[in-house]
């Protein structure tokens, strides 16, 4: 656009000119407004200060955000009272007045200039430009430069200077095809917003108003703002022209040098990095919407491809249309969604399998999710066994007849699961024809099944079994689906291996624990003797709680209950030592105090070479039964006293002191009590796991012991099992310490 008469924009004869260097500092716009207000006040045009302040703010901001340094403001007055504001910068990029967009944070400045000035325009002064506006009394809002095409018409003569491209480089035609105008303008507005945020961050860092911009981010800003500016501005120019013409699509055609290809690749990489900053909420906030990322990748990649082929003298290829790119992206997103869904399923199954401790729990977790995500008709897991048939821990979706045949499937059957287990190779049957050809027996076993897969469950060099799925339609198992099923099988095999090992350990621990307790309680004349035992946790660790009843002479019976410290082999060894030592010591008619002192000595000698101290509590008793009653002597080595329940309903705890055994050379204190039982009276002995079992912070405690015993006796239920059950219920089915209960009731 031509400079108006009388305004060359250069220094020389004419009215005085006030100037201000625009350094990009945070206060520069205020300095510009102050300068304009001062000049207008001296000219007696103070009434124009408001409009002039808004005008100069827009012109200066435009130069700082979209121009290039050095930039300068000049304010001049002529003899007719016209105020002329000129802002120059070193960028030839022409200012554009964009279409109204509520999401755009830039582009409104020229509309403000157009509304407030009498005239305005742009003068090309290589290597940059001057944007000017005039104010005169009574003429605001009647600007002559309102045609946006007029503003961009000067682009072609300076195109070679913009965006860091060399003016003498040969140009090549780049044809990108039709793009929706609204999408194009929205995408360019987003980049303009990003450029604005970059510029503000840089200006704030230079002025000290904000933290310094890191070096790698400063380089990113430079790439986005300047390196690809020419193609970006050319596309925006075409979009604005078509938008003002009312066209729904823009046919993008550019003339670009070969160097724009490298600039385009750097531009794409920089914008991707900018989006990473946005997602991490580091300095930047304007992450690109997905449709904008697709658009910019398409047009920049097409531009790069066409330019490089043209520069190499190769014939052009038919460009990929934007619609084709969208369809390609939809396929990519759909594949990613399938992968993400299956990965999420695998993660969810992994989380469930982490707490599955039995083969049945593993099978349920795998098959429920596996059948659903694969849309299978049924699924099953078959395991190797010591018998001639495979073991079936679980199946989903199959009818009773199929389940029955799976449960009796021979190890050497010509069926998919058995073959996968024998060979270690997966079986994939994708059609009914393939099913009948390879496994004829399947037709009678699963007549509606058309496709089957069976995958071995392998851990190391061991084959545990096979995972199988059936489908009622022909199924082509593509690479992605096969990989999912193989990963599912791998997770299943690991979980099953853990579950089988755990089951073996529980079985071994259970057998060892049972060996530490009497296989059966003896029949004591005139007495009803009962016991109950509840292992702690999952039963994998052997506990130290024990009880025992044995005959130690004519008419004499001994009994004991105790708790050896710790768990595992050490506790088992101490428990065995205590039981067998007491049985041996009570053969001698010496008193119970002597029995416990000798037991203490035996425990100290047994652990003389041990690294850690081991101890135990013991409550031992001697029982003599007569027709009219039973007499019991009790001595405690640090064990809780028993509960005495009388036939009258009276309940009372027997207070017994005593010292732990196995810690000290001398047993300092042993407390002895003698009790007489009448018909119906009962003594209840228990370990500390009964009292100390908790629900949250609430202990089971002695009050619940008494109330449970009273209720059981009133209901004529076995006291020992009733007390153990009540403790288990209090702990929501999982006690944290071993529980042992021994009861002796005199029946007469």
């Amino acid at each position: 656009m031509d400079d108006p008469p009388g305004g060359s924009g250069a220094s020389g004869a004419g009215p005085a000119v006030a100037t201000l260097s625009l350094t990009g500092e945070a206060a520069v716009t205020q300095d510009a407004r102050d300068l304009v207000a001062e000049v207008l006040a001296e000219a007696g045009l103070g009434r124009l200060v408001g409009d002039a302040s808004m005008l100069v703010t827009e012109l200066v901001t435009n130069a700082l955000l979209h121009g290039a340094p050095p930039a300068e403001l000049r304010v001049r007055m002529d003899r007719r009272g016209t105020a002329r504001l000129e802002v120059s910068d070193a960028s030839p990029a022409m200012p554009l007045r964009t279409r109204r967009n509520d999401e755009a944070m830039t582009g409104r400045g020229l509309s403000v200039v157009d509304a407030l000035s009498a005239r305005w325009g742009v003068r090309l002064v290589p290597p940059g430009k001057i944007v000017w506006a005039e104010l005169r009394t009574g003429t605001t809002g009647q600007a002559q430069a309102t045609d946006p095409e007029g503003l961009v018409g000067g682009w072609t003569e300076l195109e070679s200077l913009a965006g860091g491209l060399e003016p003498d480089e040969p140009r090549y035609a780049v044809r990108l095809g039709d793009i929706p105008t609204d999408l194009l303008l929205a995408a360019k507005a987003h980049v303009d917003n990003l450029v604005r945020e970059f510029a503000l961050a840089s200006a704030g860092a230079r002025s000290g108003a904000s933290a310094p911009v890191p070096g790698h981010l400063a380089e990113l800003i430079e790439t986005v703002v300047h390196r690809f500016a020419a193609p970006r501005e050319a596309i925006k120019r075409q979009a604005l022209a078509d938008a003002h013409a009312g066209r729904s699509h823009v046919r993008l055609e550019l003339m670009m040098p070969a160097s724009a290809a490298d600039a385009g690749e750097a531009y794409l990489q920089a914008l991707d990095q900018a989006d990473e900053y946005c997602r991490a909420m580091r300095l930047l906030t304007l992450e690109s919407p997905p449709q904008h990322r697709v658009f910019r990748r398409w047009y920049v990649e097409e531009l790069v491809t066409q330019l490089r082929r043209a520069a190499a003298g190769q014939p052009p290829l038919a460009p990929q249309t934007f619609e084709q790119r969208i369809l390609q992206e939809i396929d990519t997103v759909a594949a990613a969604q399938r992968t993400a869904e299956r990965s999420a399923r695998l993660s969810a199954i992994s989380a469930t399998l982490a707490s599955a401790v039995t083969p049945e729990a593993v099978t349920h977790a795998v098959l429920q999710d596996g059948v659903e995500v694969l849309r299978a008709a049924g699924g099953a897991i078959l395991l190797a066994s010591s018998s001639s048939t495979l073991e079936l821990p679980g199946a989903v979706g199959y009818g009773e007849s199929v389940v029955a045949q799976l449960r009796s499937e021979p190890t050497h059957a010509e069926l998919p699961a058995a073959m996968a287990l024998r060979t270690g190779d997966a079986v994939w049957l994708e059609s009914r024809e393939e099913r009948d050809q390879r496994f004829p027996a399947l037709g009678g076993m699963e007549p509606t099944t058309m496709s089957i897969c069976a995958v071995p469950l392998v851990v190391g060099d061991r084959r545990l079994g096979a995972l199988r799925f059936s489908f009622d339609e022909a199924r082509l198992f593509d690479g992605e689906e096969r990989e999912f099923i193989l990963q599912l099988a791998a997770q299943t095999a690991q979980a099953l291996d853990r579950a089988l090992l755990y089951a073996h350990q529980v079985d071994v621990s259970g057998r060892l624990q049972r060996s530490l307790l009497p296989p059966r309680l003896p029949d004591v004349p005139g007495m009803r003797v009962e016991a109950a035992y509840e292992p702690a946790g999952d039963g994998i660790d052997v506990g130290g709680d024990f009880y025992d009843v044995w005959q130690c002479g004519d008419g004499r019976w001994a009994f004991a209950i105790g708790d050896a410290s710790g768990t595992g082999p050490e506790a088992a060894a101490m428990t065995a030592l205590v039981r067998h030592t007491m049985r041996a010591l009570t053969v001698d008619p010496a008193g119970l105090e002597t029995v416990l002192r000798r037991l203490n000595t035996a425990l100290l000698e047994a652990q003389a070479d041990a690294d850690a101290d081991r101890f135990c509590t013991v409550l031992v008793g001697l029982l003599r039964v007569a027709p009219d009653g039973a007499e019991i002597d009790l001595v405690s080595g640090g064990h809780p006293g028993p509960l005495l329940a009388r036939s009258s309903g009276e309940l009372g705890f027997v207070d017994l002191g005593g010292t732990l055994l196995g810690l000290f050379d001398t047993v300092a204190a042993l407390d002895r009590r003698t009790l007489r039982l009448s018909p119906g009276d009962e003594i209840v002995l228990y370990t500390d796991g009964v009292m100390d079992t908790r629900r949250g912070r609430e202990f089971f405690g002695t009050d619940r012991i008494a109330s449970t015993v009273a209720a059981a006796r009133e209901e004529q239920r076995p006291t020992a099992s009733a007390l153990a059950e009540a403790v288990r219920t209090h702990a929501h089915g999982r006690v944290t310490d071993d529980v042992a209960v021994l009861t002796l009731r005199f029946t007469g």
Side-chain angles (χ1 to χ4, degrees), residues 520-728:
R520 59 179 297 275
L521 294 173
D523 293 327
V524 180
M527 304 293 294
R528 180 190 298 167
V529 183
E530 298 170 342
Y533 183 84
E534 185 77 25
D538 47 25
I540 198 169
D541 288 324
V542 178
D545 286 21
F546 66 90
Y547 59 83
D548 201 1
V549 180
W550 67 96
Q551 190 171 11
C552 57
D554 292 338
R556 296 171 61 247
W557 295 83
F559 60 90
I561 192 168
D563 183 3
S565 63
T567 59
E570 294 83 2
M574 175 170 279
T575 299
L577 174 63
V578 170
R579 283 188 61 216
H580 295 301
T581 300
M582 283 195 300
R583 280 177 173 257
L585 292 175
T586 53
V587 173
D588 188 333
L592 292 179
E593 294 91 339
T594 301
V595 169
L596 290 190
R597 288 191 175 94
R598 291 175 178 175
L599 174 61
N600 184 68
T601 301
L603 292 175
L604 291 173
E605 291 174 351
Q607 61 178 327
D609 298 328
D611 294 334
D613 291 335
R614 310 288 296 179
F615 60 90
C616 73
T617 66
V618 176
L619 177 61
V620 62
L622 282 177
L623 170 67
R624 292 174 295 276
V625 181
D628 59 341
E631 185 176 86
I632 295 177
D633 290 334
L634 292 172
V635 175
S636 172
H639 197 84
L643 173 69
L644 179 59
R646 297 293 187 184
S647 59
S648 63
E650 179 186 357
L651 300 173
F653 288 94
V654 179
D655 186 18
L656 281 171
T659 303
L660 295 174
L661 304 182
L663 285 179
F664 309 105
D665 293 339
T666 302
V667 179
L670 290 172
D671 207 358
R672 179 181 181 132
R673 293 285 186 275
T674 298
L675 306 176
R676 289 195 59 82
L677 302 183
S678 300
D681 292 348
E682 185 174 25
I683 185 172
V684 181
L685 300 86
Y686 48 86
T687 57
D688 59 2
V690 175
M691 296 184 299
D692 296 343
T693 291
R694 292 192 298 178
R695 175 188 291 165
R697 297 184 178 181
E698 186 179 1
F699 290 95
F700 189 82
T702 54
D703 289 344
R704 282 191 177 84
I705 293 176
S707 61
T708 302
V709 169
R713 286 170 58 82
E714 183 177 351
E715 297 167 5
Q716 297 185 354
R717 292 190 295 137
T719 305
S721 57
L723 185 55
E725 180 181 349
V727 172
R728 184 171 59 251

Side-chain angles (χ1 to χ4, degrees), residues 93-346:
M94 303 293 286
L96 297 177
R97 185 172 64 180
T98 61
R99 192 174 63 170
R100 179 176 180 82
N101 182 347
D102 292 338
E103 294 182 358
M105 294 185 289
T106 64
R108 300 186 180 95
L110 294 186
S111 297
V112 174
V113 171
D114 187 60
L116 295 178
S117 59
R119 295 193 308 161
W120 67 280
V122 180
R123 184 181 180 197
L124 306 174
V125 183
K129 63 182 179 295
I130 297 174
V131 182
W132 57 268
E134 290 184 350
L135 278 171
R136 66 173 66 98
T137 305
T139 59
T140 58
Q142 301 175 10
Q144 297 174 1
T146 59
D147 178 16
E149 279 82 11
L151 280 179
V152 301
W155 173 264
T156 53
E157 66 179 277
L158 288 176
E159 192 177 60
S160 62
L161 302 176
L165 304 179
E166 295 296 330
D168 56 350
E169 282 188 274
R171 301 303 168 103
Y172 304 97
V174 176
R175 294 178 174 85
L176 300 174
D178 293 344
I179 304 296
T181 304
D182 289 341
L183 172 63
L184 187 53
L185 290 175
K188 304 323 284 180
H190 171 78
V191 175
D192 286 343
N193 290 342
L194 185 62
V195 169
R196 174 181 182 272
E197 189 169 10
F198 279 159
L200 291 175
S202 299
R206 288 194 300 270
S207 67
S210 60
V213 177
H216 59 282
L217 183 55
E219 182 178 352
L220 181 151
I221 292 173
E222 175 65 23
T223 300
V224 172
V225 174
H226 298 297
R227 188 165 180 189
F228 199 61
R232 183 163 52 83
E233 292 297 326
I235 291 173
K236 183 163 64 174
R237 173 171 59 89
Q238 293 185 36
L240 285 171
D242 284 348
H244 286 293
R247 287 187 281 271
S248 63
H249 283 70
V250 179
R251 176 159 294 180
L252 287 179
E253 296 184 2
L254 308 173
M255 293 295 296
M256 290 287 136
S259 60
D262 292 339
E265 290 181 333
Y267 175 71
L268 272 185
Q269 184 178 6
L271 283 178
D272 288 343
Q273 292 178 12
D275 283 339
E276 291 179 5
Y277 272 90
C278 295
R279 284 190 290 272
M281 295 185 290
R282 303 285 180 81
L283 184 61
L284 307 177
T285 61
L286 301 173
E287 181 181 359
S288 301
Q291 63 268 34
H292 294 182
R293 285 197 294 271
V294 173
F295 165 69
R296 76 173 180 238
R297 286 208 156 273
W298 166 77
Y299 92 78
V300 174
E301 289 171 2
E302 275 296 315
L303 181 146
V304 169
T305 299
Q306 293 187 38
L307 283 179
R308 287 186 173 156
R309 288 187 64 85
Q314 298 173 340
L317 298 175
Q320 182 190 44
T321 66
F322 186 53
E323 287 80 3
Q324 290 172 334
R325 182 57 176 261
I326 291 175
L327 293 176
Q328 176 184 318
E329 291 291 332
I330 290 174
D331 289 342
T332 301
V333 169
Q337 286 177 335
R338 289 195 301 271
T339 301
E341 179 186 358
R342 287 173 176 170
S343 296
R345 288 283 187 175
L346 284 174

